[in-house]
Amino acid sequence: MQFLNRLCLVLLWLAAPLAAFAAVNKNDPYLLVLRGAGNIALVVASILVVIVLLRRGHWRSIAGMLLVLLWCLPPVLMSAAHVRFELRKHAVLSASAAEARQLGPHFMVGYSSFPEIARLAEQGLIGGVYVTRHNIRGRTIEALRAEIAALQDKRRAAGLPPLVVAADQEGGIVGHLAPPLTKVPALATLTGLAPGDQQARADEFGRIHGRELADLGVNLNLAPVLDLKPPVRRNRLDFHTLIGQRAIAADPAVVGTIASAYVRGLEESGVDATLKHFPGIGRVRDDTHHFSASLDTPVKELEATDWLPFREVLSHSRSALMVGHVTLTAVDPDRAASHSKRVVEGIIRGKWGYQGVVMTDDLVMGAIYQNDVCRAVVEAINAGVDMLLVAYDGAQFSRVFSCALDASRQGRLDAAMLRASAVRLELRSPAAQAGAVSPDGRTLGIVIPAAPRAPARGS
């Protein structure tokens, strides 16, 4: 019995700092599973431990009193973290109408609470929403359709443009709304077909996704993946990117053929595509969901391989371009491509002449969030990124938006970049798409020349 008592005390000593750490970081995306009931359970457990320690007289010794005080910390730290979170949220919700009009269109947010996202939408603090599996779990497709329609109704009532509504339906292992939507195979499954059959099937996949998403009220699909398939899975710690399973092929010509047909089917069904993840993560070893990562390949080699599908599809579509959180070391070794002016303004806008919508990958990913997220937000806006994505944990929106808000008030945002971005977003908004095509059927707004096709590699 004495041994068990000592063991329990040792465990309490070990658990106390862990409980305090969880409490002070209660709003961290890595602790998302502890929110709500988990937070309550931690507070209740801390109080119960304190009561037991006091009843057993541990307060009579210095060590015992220190242990009691340690277990008093989690409720206090959690309360302080909650207050800080609420104050930041209040500051964002108190932004002026002018600030909301200037900054709001540049943010796309995932959500769990409809009342909270509706308030952001009504105040113009966001330009888009992201719907995923937790928005459909335990609900009917009709309920989500009605919810999206209600958000758009609130925007109209507030005199604001329609929201961009995005989903992540790549096919294969990434189809966050399937079921109840149709589970479509990965585009990589088409590589063994003849080129004509590849295009026909990819077009069909795009039309299936497009029809179902448009019917739901989604107008932007975060697909297709244009990263080149790596030869082998080189990183055993890659649990989330899994690009080897998501990429279409290793041959850029095959990727361009299949992706172009898929995008065509998607667009003709009323949904825009998003090409990802520029500058390409097929060669990257580390998972940017959790770690910083570098792409060390020379630019000339990337231009002749990895970037060919991006340039090809951009040249004849109205697709958005998602920039990933990898550092393109040959161009900008000091920051990820998603907030690098040398990459966005220098290559995508300048060298390629692309004037469509550029968006970041999820800012809640570890490569950004575990570093200086405010720096990334400000630099992304100043680099000419049009839309910043906060997808996995929408609760982080207040922190991300407050970074932009503070920078705006301090005069650290590039006004010219914001104006140019506002024009691009207006041209590509759902309301403007009806007039986004010229009389001869060409998509407007993209002046990027098509890159030469790479020769097909041997089987």
Side-chain angles (χ1 to χ4, degrees):
M1 181 62 72
Q2 188 175 7
F3 171 77
L4 288 177
N5 287 337
R6 289 181 178 177
L7 179 61
C8 287
L9 285 174
V10 170
L11 292 176
L12 287 176
W13 276 104
L14 294 174
L18 293 177
F21 177 82
V24 77
N25 293 286
K26 67 179 289 291
N27 296 313
D28 191 279
Y30 275 98
L31 298 179
L32 183 61
V33 294
L34 294 181
R35 294 208 195 133
N39 287 171
I40 295 171
L42 180 57
V43 170
V44 171
S46 300
I47 294 172
L48 289 176
V49 169
V50 169
I51 292 172
V52 170
L53 290 173
L54 292 175
R55 292 191 63 175
R56 294 197 173 189
H58 288 282
W59 56 272
R60 294 188 180 94
S61 67
I62 294 177
M65 180 54 72
L66 181 58
L67 185 58
V68 170
L69 291 174
L70 279 175
W71 278 99
C72 288
L73 281 178
V76 175
L77 293 173
M78 186 171 289
S79 297
H82 184 70
V83 169
R84 286 197 303 272
F85 177 81
E86 290 298 325
L87 287 174
R88 180 181 285 155
K89 185 165 72 171
H90 176 74
V92 168
L93 292 172
S94 300
S96 68
E99 290 170 326
R101 283 195 300 271
Q102 181 190 50
L103 300 176
H106 302 283
F107 290 88
M108 176 181 289
V109 185
Y111 69 96
S112 298
S113 167
F114 178 78
E116 289 187 3
I117 199 68
R119 185 173 181 184
L120 296 177
E122 284 180 305
Q123 291 187 222
L125 291 167
I126 57 174
V129 294
Y130 167 79
V131 293
T132 187
R133 56 172 60 94
H134 68 255
N135 297 106
I136 202 71
R137 187 178 294 122
R139 308 173 66 201
T140 64
I141 197 71
E142 290 76 17
L144 181 56
R145 183 187 298 114
E147 188 170 274
I148 292 171
L151 287 173
Q152 299 292 26
D153 288 342
K154 290 179 180 295
R155 294 285 285 194
R156 281 191 291 272
L160 295 168
L163 291 167
V164 177
V165 182
D168 212 348
Q169 293 291 96
E170 297 175 9
I173 63 172
V174 177
H176 294 164
L177 297 179
L181 300 189
T182 302
K183 189 170 181 60
V184 173
L187 292 174
T189 61
L190 306 180
T191 56
L193 303 177
D197 294 333
Q198 288 176 354
Q199 294 181 54
R201 291 287 285 162
D203 181 279
E204 179 187 354
F205 287 1
R207 291 178 188 277
I208 292 171
H209 278 157
R211 285 194 301 267
E212 294 187 342
L213 291 173
D215 179 66
L216 184 59
V218 172
N219 46 48
L220 181 68
N221 192 14
L222 303 186
V225 168
L226 297 192
D227 310 284
L228 298 189
K229 186 184 288 289
V232 293
R233 183 184 177 190
R234 297 178 295 172
N235 184 0
R236 295 182 181 276
L237 297 179
D238 179 6
F239 301 114
H240 291 93
T241 301
L242 300 174
I243 204 64
Q245 298 179 53
R246 296 164 60 197
I248 296 172
D251 186 339
V254 174
V255 175
T257 296
I258 292 176
S260 294
Y262 174 82
V263 169
R264 182 173 61 249
L266 197 67
E267 290 184 347
E268 291 181 0
S269 302
V271 176
D272 285 348
T274 308
L275 313 184
K276 59 187 187 184
H277 312 78
F278 184 81
I281 58 177
R283 301 172 186 260
V284 176
R285 296 179 62 89
D286 296 309
D287 183 354
T288 54
H289 287 84
H290 307 291
F291 311 105
S292 297
S294 295
L295 176 59
D296 300 321
T297 309
V299 169
K300 284 188 176 180
E301 184 176 346
L302 293 171
E303 288 177 335
T305 54
D306 298 55
W307 294 355
L308 289 176
F310 289 98
R311 297 193 66 181
E312 178 180 350
V313 181
L314 287 176
S315 70
H316 53 70
S317 75
R318 59 175 184 260
S319 301
L321 179 64
M322 177 182 286
V323 184
H325 301 315
V326 298
T327 300
L328 184 56
T329 55
V331 176
D332 190 344
D334 300 320
R335 55 187 56 77
S338 56
H339 55 103
S340 169
K341 190 168 186 175
R342 295 179 190 174
V343 173
V344 177
E345 182 70 8
I347 295 176
I348 299 171
R349 303 285 189 212
K351 191 171 184 179
W352 290 9
Y354 174 66
Q355 294 304 315
V357 171
V358 172
M359 65 187 301
T360 69
D361 206 343
D362 191 359
L363 294 177
V364 183
M365 293 167 66
I368 297 297
Y369 198 84
Q370 300 305 320
N371 294 291
D372 190 342
V373 66
C374 275
R375 175 194 176 202
V377 168
V378 174
E379 289 186 346
I381 292 173
N382 288 341
V385 173
D386 302 299
M387 190 158 277
L388 284 69
L389 178 63
V390 184
Y392 171 70
D393 182 8
Q396 306 306 322
F397 169 72
S398 295
R399 178 180 177 185
V400 171
F401 190 87
S402 64
C403 295
L405 190 60
D406 291 343
S408 177
R409 291 170 176 174
Q410 296 165 13
R412 293 189 289 116
L413 294 184
D414 188 326
M417 283 292 187
L418 281 168
R419 286 193 297 270
S421 182
V423 171
R424 287 190 293 267
L425 289 172
E426 184 176 354
L427 288 173
R428 295 309 179 90
S429 71
Q433 283 307 315
V437 177
S438 64
D440 61 356
R442 292 182 295 105
T443 302
L444 299 178
I446 300 177
V447 295
I448 174 175
R453 292 286 297 269
R457 298 176 183 173
S459 54

